[in-house]
Amino acid sequence: TQKHFHSGRLTPYESGPPTMLLAQADERELDKGVAIMRAIPGATQHAPRRLLMVRDIAAPTKIVLDRIVDFENYPKMVKGCDRCVNYMVDNRPDGTREIRSEYQIHALHMKFSYFMRHLVDARSGCVTFVLDYDRLSDIDDSVGYWYVQPRGDASCRGYYSCDTKLRGWVPAPVYAVVDETALERATTWVSRGALKEWERLKQGEGALGAQLGKWSRAARYSLDRMPKLRAPELPRLDSMLVPWRQARAT
């Protein structure tokens, strides 16, 4: 397998919660169901700023994470993703997983094929990803980050940021449009997919509860129609003692 041109030019994201603090105005927007986009400092002093998308999702954390790491179903969920296949899954002893996937996407009139390494830490609610430099990709470099913060039993807040570098010279305004569109699309499809799955599970639980209630009512009806059985009458204790006393007297 031919390796990539380099071993990484963009600084990877660190696993863990974001360091950016949201203002009260941001919280009010999120409460309204509006996603917000904010710029965060670059990984180094001279690195450009990166965009971070934040969205509240009315679904449990696990369901949202399951949608994010369901890479092979991305073509069904993500607009512009034509194919995504996992070629390695490593379940590590510390509970994390490394998943390597091949993507085939199209954007505008361009098509790209590239390989990504995803590190999934479900316990901390974080997924980071970098290009797989052991394989040759059409893009120059890409790094990214998901963080899902629980907000209740059935709600969470999703953070997403991604930095991608295309090969060759690309005008800065094009990069800006591509980055912003990618951020908005990613958080939108994750939210929609999680809400759809959560609704399906709730309906399934409701149907199961209704079926269990139906079985319970049928069982009670059957029991009510069964003939009542009378317990056998046991001999009285004094009637048993009389013959015994008479036998002792003789």
Side-chain angles (χ1 to χ4, degrees):
T1 302
Q2 187 176 357
K3 292 182 179 294
H4 200 56
F5 301 108
H6 55 79
S7 57
R9 289 174 176 162
L10 297 174
T11 304
Y13 290 77
E14 295 183 1
S15 182
T19 56
M20 183 189 72
L21 297 177
L22 297 177
Q24 291 184 354
D26 296 332
E27 294 287 354
R28 287 193 293 268
E29 290 296 302
L30 291 167
D31 289 341
K32 297 176 184 176
V34 178
I36 63 172
M37 185 182 299
R38 295 293 178 266
I40 56 177
T44 62
Q45 182 178 359
H46 301 289
R49 296 185 302 171
R50 289 171 168 173
L51 296 177
L52 177 71
M53 199 81 175
V54 188
R55 181 187 295 269
D56 282 350
I57 305 173
T61 302
K62 183 181 184 307
I63 290 180
V64 176
L65 279 173
D66 286 346
R67 298 283 69 73
I68 293 171
V69 302
D70 191 11
F71 301 114
E72 293 195 327
N73 277 318
Y74 272 27
K76 300 177 182 178
M77 300 184 290
V78 185
K79 185 178 181 180
C81 183
D82 302 316
R83 183 173 182 267
C84 188
V85 179
N86 299 336
Y87 56 89
M88 193 202 82
V89 177
D90 180 20
N91 296 310
R92 299 177 174 179
D94 61 359
T96 62
R97 285 189 297 161
E98 181 182 349
I99 303 176
R100 301 193 184 195
S101 309
E102 177 187 2
Y103 291 79
Q104 292 180 5
I105 68 168
H106 68 271
L108 302 177
H109 61 282
M110 301 175 290
K111 292 186 177 182
F112 303 98
S113 176
Y114 58 94
F115 304 87
M116 299 296 294
R117 295 175 52 197
H118 314 89
L119 181 60
V120 182
D121 188 350
R123 289 179 299 183
S124 67
C126 192
V127 179
T128 57
F129 51 91
V130 299
L131 208 66
D132 184 354
Y133 306 108
D134 291 333
R135 299 190 177 215
L136 180 62
S137 292
D138 291 340
I139 60 178
D140 185 59
D141 205 358
S142 183
V143 296
Y145 165 89
W146 280 101
Y147 180 74
V148 184
Q149 178 186 31
R151 303 278 291 176
D153 293 336
S155 62
C156 61
R157 176 168 292 174
Y159 298 80
Y160 175 67
S161 183
C162 182
D163 193 0
T164 298
K165 188 175 185 296
L166 302 178
R167 289 165 59 182
W169 180 81
V170 178
V174 174
Y175 264 121
V177 172
V178 170
D179 287 345
E180 291 182 14
T181 303
L183 287 175
E184 186 172 0
R185 282 184 178 177
T187 55
T188 298
W189 73 255
V190 165
S191 177
R192 288 177 179 172
L195 292 174
K196 183 177 179 180
E197 178 66 11
W198 179 226
E199 188 63 28
R200 185 188 70 82
L201 290 176
K202 288 192 295 183
Q203 290 179 356
E205 291 175 356
L208 177 60
Q211 185 62 45
L212 290 174
K214 182 178 179 181
W215 290 339
S216 176
R217 290 191 297 271
R220 288 198 301 268
Y221 177 76
S222 299
L223 289 173
D224 291 340
R225 291 177 59 87
M226 290 179 62
K228 301 297 187 291
L229 300 178
R230 296 180 59 185
E233 295 185 2
L234 298 176
R236 294 174 56 184
L237 183 59
D238 56 353
S239 65
M240 297 176 61
L241 291 177
V242 170
W244 177 74
R245 289 171 179 166
Q246 291 177 349
R248 291 194 60 185
T250 58

